[in-house]
Amino acid sequence: MSNHEVAMTIEVRLEGFTLAVEDVSRSVEFYGEKLGLVVEANRAPTFAMIRVGGPLGGTIGLLSTRLPEAAAARTMTREQRAAIQVELSTDELDLLYEQLTARGVNFHRPPQDHPWERSMQTYDPDGYTVEFAQGRRGHNRPA
């Protein structure tokens, strides 16, 4: 057995990822208050951590572009940011759509069926695409 085959048998989990944002407080308001996700740590103006999916779920880090390690993100265009997608899922897409629109979230793509899934999209304050899909990704084709 090669090293590559051995490495593939070890389970790897996604714990989270970090987005470079212009205003951490503004992003905390969007992800926490508007989307209703849990703000696990708020160290604004430099960093915050959003918990998705309960205590066993992952995190979205929000890192200020004013910090040296995120400064390069300041030159990203709106189109480049929109190409980065935060992909979330729910078992109640249409109900979530109603709740989030009532909280003032504007969806540029409301719930719709695609051959691979039913989903909806909005942009966060920095222009990253936030997508919600019905059911578990990869197992959620519309009926």
Side-chain angles (χ1 to χ4, degrees):
M1 188 179 299
S2 71
N3 285 342
H4 182 269
E5 290 175 285
V6 172
M8 297 307 292
T9 62
I10 298 171
E11 182 180 336
V12 176
R13 293 172 298 281
L14 175 64
E15 293 293 326
F17 58 91
T18 298
L19 299 173
V21 299
E22 292 177 22
D23 184 330
V24 171
S25 294
R26 179 182 68 179
S27 294
V28 165
E29 179 182 343
F30 176 78
Y31 285 97
E33 293 177 30
K34 288 208 171 189
L35 297 188
L37 302 175
V38 175
V39 179
E40 190 160 290
N42 188 350
R43 309 283 187 275
T46 57
F47 179 78
M49 186 183 316
I50 306 298
R51 175 71 57 187
V52 181
L56 298 178
T59 60
I60 302 171
L62 304 169
L63 186 66
S64 173
T65 56
R66 291 180 180 89
L67 297 173
E69 54 268 37
R74 283 184 254 170
T75 61
M76 289 176 66
T77 66
R78 189 86 171 158
E79 292 80 15
Q80 288 170 324
R81 288 179 189 238
I84 297 171
Q85 294 191 13
V86 177
E87 298 177 352
L88 307 170
S89 63
T90 179
D91 291 330
E92 301 291 340
L93 187 70
D94 294 297
L95 181 58
L96 181 64
Y97 176 75
E98 291 175 20
Q99 290 176 353
L100 296 182
T101 54
R103 289 186 201 154
V105 177
N106 297 311
F107 286 88
H108 64 272
R109 197 179 84 197
Q112 55 188 263
D113 291 330
H114 302 280
W116 57 91
E117 69 185 3
R118 180 168 176 72
S119 63
M120 62 187 183
Q121 290 184 346
T122 186
Y123 296 115
D124 83 352
D126 289 274
Y128 297 111
T129 299
V130 179
E131 180 176 78
F132 294 90
Q134 174 75 35
R136 302 250 335 134
R137 297 201 80 110
H139 306 279
N140 56 356
R141 289 187 155 177

